[in-house]
Amino acid sequence: QVQLVESGGGLVQAGGSLRLSCAASGIRFTIAAMGWYRQAPGKQRELVATLSSSDTINYADSVKGRSTISRDNAKNTVYLQLNSLKPEDTAVYYCMAKYGFSTYWGQGAQVTVSS
């Protein structure tokens, strides 16, 4: 059974930083493509960043230069460091794993940025 468990969300002031973590189980983490998506109220889920098994990284323009995605294969964990946070970064952040022909999602972590 595949499980993705996010942690690290919370309330932060504008300009602050946050690090999200996603612990994966039930997959061969080293060959999974991992990513972070977010969904703000009333909006569609959108890509934040992805990190392939070969360490190819892709960032959304909205977070480029302010965020870093990384993975620790020994801990089966992917991270998203968010800096210089803005109120428009407020959303539920979801961890995503692509493994084989399937895509898996975590339960989401709320990030709220106050102005």
Side-chain angles (χ1 to χ4, degrees):
Q1 182 181 0
V2 178
Q3 280 194 314
L4 302 174
V5 180
E6 299 104 334
S7 60
L11 175 64
V12 63
Q13 286 190 329
S17 298
L18 207 62
R19 189 176 83 154
L20 299 175
S21 301
C22 171
S25 60
I27 58 173
R28 283 182 61 190
F29 186 78
T30 53
I31 62 172
M34 304 299 295
W36 290 93
Y37 286 69
R38 68 186 181 186
Q39 188 167 16
K43 294 189 177 181
Q44 288 190 329
R45 192 173 296 189
E46 63 177 9
L47 178 146
V48 177
T50 58
L51 174 55
S52 74
S53 58
S54 58
D55 292 335
T56 299
I57 293 175
N58 181 43
Y59 293 106
D61 288 343
S62 58
V63 301
K64 201 171 291 183
R66 301 190 294 120
S67 64
T68 302
I69 187 171
S70 61
R71 64 195 296 162
D72 185 336
N73 289 337
K75 296 182 178 179
N76 284 8
T77 300
V78 63
Y79 304 97
L80 181 68
Q81 177 71 38
L82 298 166
N83 301 320
S84 301
L85 283 161
K86 307 173 183 179
E88 51 263 43
D89 292 318
T90 295
V92 178
Y93 284 71
Y94 295 93
C95 177
M96 180 278 300
K98 283 188 179 179
Y99 179 66
F101 297 106
S102 299
T103 299
Y104 303 93
W105 297 93
Q107 81 286 355
Q110 177 70 48
V111 172
T112 302
V113 183
S114 63
S115 56

Coordinates of all heavy atoms in Angstrom, one line a residue, residues 12-57:
V12 N 2.5 31.2 8.6 CA 3.8 31.9 8.6 C 3.5 33.3 8.1 O 2.6 33.5 7.3 CB 4.8 31.2 7.7 CG1 4.3 31.1 6.3 CG2 6.2 31.8 7.8
Q13 N 4.3 34.3 8.5 CA 4.1 35.6 8.1 C 4.7 35.8 6.7 O 5.7 35.1 6.3 CB 4.8 36.6 9.0 CG 4.0 36.8 10.3 CD 4.5 37.9 11.2 OE1 5.7 38.2 11.1 NE2 3.6 38.6 11.9
A14 N 4.2 36.8 5.9 CA 4.8 37.1 4.6 C 6.3 37.4 4.8 O 6.7 38.1 5.7 CB 4.1 38.3 4.0
G15 N 7.1 36.8 3.9 CA 8.5 37.0 3.9 C 9.2 35.9 4.6 O 10.4 35.8 4.6
G16 N 8.4 35.1 5.3 CA 9.0 34.0 6.1 C 9.3 32.7 5.2 O 9.1 32.8 4.0
S17 N 9.7 31.7 5.9 CA 10.1 30.4 5.2 C 9.4 29.2 5.9 O 9.0 29.3 7.1 CB 11.6 30.2 5.3 OG 12.3 31.3 4.6
L18 N 9.4 28.2 5.1 CA 8.7 26.9 5.6 C 9.3 25.8 4.8 O 9.7 25.9 3.7 CB 7.2 27.0 5.3 CG 6.2 26.2 6.2 CD1 6.3 26.7 7.6 CD2 4.8 26.4 5.6
R19 N 9.5 24.6 5.5 CA 9.9 23.4 4.8 C 8.9 22.3 5.0 O 8.5 21.9 6.1 CB 11.3 23.0 5.3 CG 11.8 21.8 4.4 CD 13.2 21.4 4.8 NE 13.2 20.4 5.9 CZ 14.2 19.5 6.1 NH1 15.2 19.5 5.3 NH2 14.1 18.7 7.1
L20 N 8.4 21.9 3.8 CA 7.5 20.8 3.8 C 8.2 19.5 3.6 O 9.2 19.4 2.9 CB 6.4 20.9 2.7 CG 5.6 22.2 2.8 CD1 4.7 22.3 1.6 CD2 4.7 22.2 4.1
S21 N 7.8 18.4 4.3 CA 8.3 17.1 4.1 C 7.3 16.1 3.7 O 6.1 16.3 4.0 CB 9.0 16.6 5.4 OG 10.0 17.5 5.9
C22 N 7.7 15.1 2.9 CA 6.7 14.1 2.5 C 7.5 12.7 2.6 O 8.4 12.5 1.9 CB 6.3 14.3 1.1 SG 5.3 12.9 0.3
A23 N 7.0 11.9 3.5 CA 7.6 10.6 3.7 C 6.8 9.6 2.9 O 5.5 9.5 3.0 CB 7.6 10.2 5.2
A24 N 7.5 8.8 2.1 CA 6.8 7.9 1.2 C 7.1 6.4 1.7 O 8.1 6.1 2.2 CB 7.3 8.0 -0.3
S25 N 6.1 5.6 1.5 CA 6.2 4.2 1.8 C 5.4 3.4 0.8 O 4.5 3.9 0.2 CB 5.8 3.8 3.2 OG 4.4 4.2 3.4
G26 N 5.8 2.1 0.5 CA 5.1 1.3 -0.4 C 5.5 1.4 -1.8 O 4.9 0.8 -2.7
I27 N 6.6 2.2 -2.1 CA 7.1 2.3 -3.4 C 8.6 2.2 -3.4 O 9.2 2.4 -2.3 CB 6.7 3.7 -4.1 CG1 7.2 4.9 -3.2 CG2 5.2 3.8 -4.3 CD1 7.0 6.2 -3.9
R28 N 9.2 1.9 -4.5 CA 10.7 2.0 -4.6 C 11.0 3.5 -4.8 O 11.1 4.0 -6.0 CB 11.2 1.1 -5.7 CG 11.2 -0.4 -5.4 CD 11.8 -1.2 -6.5 NE 13.2 -0.8 -6.8 CZ 13.8 -1.3 -7.9 NH1 13.2 -2.0 -8.8 NH2 15.1 -0.9 -8.1
F29 N 11.3 4.1 -3.7 CA 11.4 5.6 -3.8 C 12.5 6.1 -4.8 O 12.3 7.1 -5.4 CB 11.8 6.1 -2.4 CG 11.8 7.6 -2.2 CD1 10.6 8.3 -2.1 CD2 13.0 8.3 -2.2 CE1 10.6 9.7 -2.0 CE2 13.0 9.7 -2.0 CZ 11.8 10.4 -1.9
T30 N 13.6 5.3 -4.9 CA 14.7 5.8 -5.7 C 14.3 5.9 -7.2 O 15.0 6.6 -7.9 CB 15.9 4.8 -5.6 OG1 15.5 3.5 -5.8 CG2 16.5 4.9 -4.2
I31 N 13.3 5.2 -7.6 CA 12.9 5.2 -9.0 C 11.6 6.0 -9.3 O 11.1 6.0 -10.4 CB 12.8 3.8 -9.7 CG1 11.8 3.0 -9.1 CG2 14.2 3.1 -9.6 CD1 11.6 1.6 -9.8
A32 N 11.1 6.6 -8.2 CA 9.8 7.3 -8.3 C 10.1 8.8 -8.6 O 11.1 9.4 -8.1 CB 9.0 7.2 -7.0
A33 N 9.3 9.4 -9.5 CA 9.4 10.8 -9.7 C 8.5 11.4 -8.6 O 7.3 11.0 -8.4 CB 8.9 11.2 -11.1
M34 N 9.0 12.5 -7.9 CA 8.3 13.1 -6.8 C 7.9 14.5 -7.2 O 8.6 15.2 -8.0 CB 9.1 13.0 -5.6 CG 9.5 11.6 -5.1 SD 8.1 10.5 -4.8 CE 7.4 11.3 -3.4
G35 N 7.0 15.1 -6.5 CA 6.6 16.5 -6.8 C 5.7 17.0 -5.7 O 5.2 16.3 -4.8
W36 N 5.6 18.3 -5.8 CA 4.6 19.1 -5.0 C 3.7 19.9 -5.8 O 4.1 20.5 -6.8 CB 5.4 20.0 -4.0 CG 6.2 19.4 -3.0 CD1 7.5 19.0 -3.1 CD2 5.7 18.9 -1.7 NE1 7.9 18.4 -1.9 CE2 6.8 18.3 -1.0 CE3 4.5 19.1 -1.0 CZ2 6.7 17.8 0.3 CZ3 4.4 18.6 0.3 CH2 5.5 18.0 0.9
Y37 N 2.4 19.8 -5.4 CA 1.4 20.6 -6.1 C 0.7 21.4 -5.0 O 0.8 21.1 -3.8 CB 0.4 19.7 -6.8 CG 0.9 19.1 -8.1 CD1 1.9 18.2 -8.1 CD2 0.4 19.5 -9.3 CE1 2.4 17.6 -9.3 CE2 0.9 19.0 -10.5 CZ 1.9 18.1 -10.5 OH 2.4 17.6 -11.7
R38 N -0.1 22.4 -5.4 CA -0.9 23.1 -4.4 C -2.2 23.5 -5.0 O -2.4 23.6 -6.2 CB -0.1 24.4 -3.9 CG 0.0 25.5 -5.0 CD 0.9 26.6 -4.5 NE 1.1 27.7 -5.4 CZ 1.9 28.7 -5.3 NH1 2.6 28.8 -4.2 NH2 2.0 29.6 -6.2
Q39 N -3.2 23.7 -4.0 CA -4.5 24.1 -4.4 C -5.0 25.1 -3.5 O -5.2 24.9 -2.3 CB -5.5 22.9 -4.5 CG -6.8 23.2 -5.0 CD -7.6 21.9 -5.3 OE1 -7.3 20.9 -4.9 NE2 -8.7 22.1 -6.2
A40 N -5.2 26.3 -4.0 CA -5.8 27.4 -3.2 C -7.3 27.4 -3.3 O -7.9 26.8 -4.2 CB -5.3 28.7 -3.8
P41 N -8.0 28.0 -2.3 CA -9.5 27.9 -2.3 C -10.0 28.5 -3.6 O -9.6 29.6 -4.1 CB -9.8 28.8 -1.2 CG -8.7 28.7 -0.2 CD -7.5 28.6 -1.1
G42 N -10.9 27.7 -4.3 CA -11.6 28.2 -5.5 C -10.7 28.0 -6.7 O -11.2 28.5 -7.8
K43 N -9.6 27.5 -6.6 CA -8.7 27.3 -7.8 C -8.3 25.9 -8.0 O -8.5 25.0 -7.2 CB -7.4 28.1 -7.5 CG -7.6 29.6 -7.4 CD -6.3 30.4 -7.4 CE -6.5 31.9 -7.4 NZ -5.2 32.6 -7.4
Q44 N -7.8 25.6 -9.2 CA -7.4 24.3 -9.6 C -6.1 23.9 -9.0 O -5.3 24.8 -8.7 CB -7.3 24.1 -11.1 CG -8.7 24.1 -11.8 CD -8.6 23.8 -13.3 OE1 -7.6 24.0 -13.9 NE2 -9.6 23.1 -13.8
R45 N -5.8 22.7 -8.8 CA -4.5 22.2 -8.3 C -3.5 22.6 -9.3 O -3.7 22.3 -10.5 CB -4.6 20.7 -8.0 CG -3.4 20.2 -7.2 CD -3.5 18.8 -6.9 NE -4.7 18.6 -5.9 CZ -4.9 17.4 -5.3 NH1 -4.1 16.4 -5.5 NH2 -6.0 17.3 -4.5
E46 N -2.3 23.1 -8.9 CA -1.3 23.5 -9.8 C 0.1 22.9 -9.4 O 0.3 22.7 -8.2 CB -1.2 25.0 -9.9 CG -0.8 25.7 -8.6 CD -0.7 27.2 -8.8 OE1 -1.1 27.8 -9.8 OE2 -0.3 27.9 -7.8
L47 N 0.9 22.8 -10.3 CA 2.3 22.3 -10.1 C 3.1 23.3 -9.3 O 3.0 24.5 -9.6 CB 3.0 21.9 -11.4 CG 4.4 21.4 -11.3 CD1 4.6 20.4 -12.4 CD2 5.4 22.6 -11.5
V48 N 3.8 22.9 -8.3 CA 4.8 23.8 -7.7 C 6.2 23.4 -8.1 O 7.0 24.2 -8.6 CB 4.7 23.7 -6.1 CG1 5.7 24.5 -5.5 CG2 3.3 24.1 -5.7
A49 N 6.6 22.1 -7.9 CA 7.9 21.6 -8.3 C 7.9 20.1 -8.5 O 7.1 19.4 -7.8 CB 8.9 22.0 -7.2
T50 N 8.7 19.6 -9.4 CA 8.9 18.2 -9.5 C 10.4 17.8 -9.5 O 11.2 18.7 -9.9 CB 8.2 17.7 -10.8 OG1 8.8 18.4 -11.9 CG2 6.7 17.9 -10.8
L51 N 10.6 16.6 -9.1 CA 12.0 16.1 -9.0 C 12.0 14.7 -9.5 O 11.4 13.8 -8.9 CB 12.5 16.2 -7.6 CG 13.9 15.6 -7.3 CD1 15.0 16.2 -8.2 CD2 14.2 15.9 -5.8
S52 N 12.7 14.4 -10.6 CA 12.7 13.1 -11.2 C 13.7 12.2 -10.4 O 14.5 12.6 -9.6 CB 13.0 13.1 -12.7 OG 14.4 13.3 -12.8
S53 N 13.6 10.9 -10.7 CA 14.6 9.9 -10.1 C 16.0 10.2 -10.6 O 16.9 9.8 -9.9 CB 14.2 8.5 -10.5 OG 14.2 8.3 -11.9
S54 N 16.2 10.9 -11.7 CA 17.5 11.3 -12.1 C 17.8 12.7 -11.8 O 18.8 13.3 -12.3 CB 17.6 11.1 -13.7 OG 16.6 11.9 -14.3
D55 N 17.1 13.3 -10.8 CA 17.3 14.6 -10.3 C 17.1 15.7 -11.2 O 17.6 16.8 -11.0 CB 18.8 14.7 -9.7 CG 18.9 13.8 -8.4 OD1 17.9 13.6 -7.8 OD2 20.1 13.4 -8.1
T56 N 16.3 15.5 -12.2 CA 15.8 16.6 -13.1 C 14.7 17.4 -12.3 O 13.8 16.8 -11.8 CB 15.3 16.1 -14.4 OG1 16.3 15.4 -15.1 CG2 14.8 17.3 -15.2
I57 N 14.9 18.7 -12.2 CA 14.0 19.5 -11.4 C 13.2 20.5 -12.3 O 13.8 21.0 -13.3 CB 14.8 20.3 -10.4 CG1 15.4 19.3 -9.3 CG2 13.9 21.3 -9.7 CD1 16.3 20.0 -8.3

